[in-house]
């Protein structure tokens, strides 16, 4: 049996993750003939969705609490969804994963990377995404797009400074893992963004 592949989608707020997630799923089904399991973090399991509500709505969470909640949801997700799907040879397409913890809890909240790396190594072992697409937008544009989406959460009231740090942390990760993390300029019109995504996916498939 061919091994499953693990693809993640990352980016700041209002980067167009939802519409592009659907595009990537359809593209993979069509071009790779893969069975694609779409999931998200925080969430993806019953426990994870409960944690998501708490994580997104509860006021006054300490940065450490945020990080531990995210990894609690992730532990459940890895055990119940991600690892079993990969073991069946399915492709897992996940809306955010551990890079988001480095960007938001590390960059945004200022928690030390080593803390995050410790939890990552403990819970994931050597499991890392095979490919990560990073939808990059300037924070002011993302905020304008996210505004009026109607699903407001705790992160929507964060300052622009917070999002500048999140974006920088994503950029640092992309620079340190240029093979795995591919940046897409998501400030361009959607057809151009999707053309770029398709090109990146095609190049990546060729390498498999
Ligand atoms: P969403 O906007 O993709 O639905 O994600 C919900 C929020 O959760 C988003 O503002 C980013 C945040 N988040 C973290 O802070 N750390 C994480 O590790 C993940 C997966 C998400």
């Amino acid at each position: 049996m061919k091994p499953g592949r693990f693809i993640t989608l990352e980016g700041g707020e209002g980067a167009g993750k939802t519409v592009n997630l659907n595009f990537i799923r359809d593209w993979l089904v069509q071009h790779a003939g893969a069975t694609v399991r779409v999931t998200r973090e925080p969430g993806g399991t019953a426990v994870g969705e409960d944690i998501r509500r708490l994580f997104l709505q509860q006021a006054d969470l300490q940065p450490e609490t945020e990080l531990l909640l995210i990894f609690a949801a992730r532990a459940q997700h890895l055990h119940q969804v991600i690892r079993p799907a990969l073991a069946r040879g399915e492709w897992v397409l996940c809306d955010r994963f551990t890079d988001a913890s480095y960007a938001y809890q590390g960059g945004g909240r200022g928690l030390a990377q080593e803390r995050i790396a410790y939890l990552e190594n403990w819970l994931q072992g050597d499991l890392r995404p095979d490919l990560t697409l990073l939808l990059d937008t300037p924070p002011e544009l993302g905020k304008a797009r996210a505004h009026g989406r109607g699903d407001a959460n705790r992160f929507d009231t964060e300052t622009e400074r917070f999002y500048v740090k999140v974006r920088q942390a994503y950029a640092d990760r992309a620079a340190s893992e240029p093979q795995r993390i591919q940046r897409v300029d998501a400030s361009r019109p959607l057809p151009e963004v999707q053309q770029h995504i398709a090109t990146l996916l095609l190049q990546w498939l060729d390498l498999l």
Side-chain angles (χ1 to χ4, degrees), residues 153-172:
N153 68 53
R154 224 157 43 78
F155 287 91
D156 293 329
T157 52
E158 283 300 337
T159 59
E160 190 166 322
R161 195 173 126 69
F162 176 85
Y163 280 107
V164 167
K165 289 189 282 185
V166 168
R167 188 187 193 200
Q168 185 59 51
Y170 270 132
D172 292 345

Side-chain angles (χ1 to χ4, degrees), residues 57 145-153 156:
Q57 305 301 341
R145 282 185 185 164
H147 189 73
R149 236 179 5 196
D151 58 348
N153 68 53
D156 293 329

Side-chain angles (χ1 to χ4, degrees), residues 13 17 41 52 55 70 74 96 100-101 104-105 155:
E13 316 300 285
K17 271 192 306 96
E41 290 210 348
R52 180 184 177 91
F55 181 82
I70 274 289
R74 186 163 294 141
R96 297 197 189 280
S101 308
Y104 284 78
Q105 282 65 52
F155 287 91

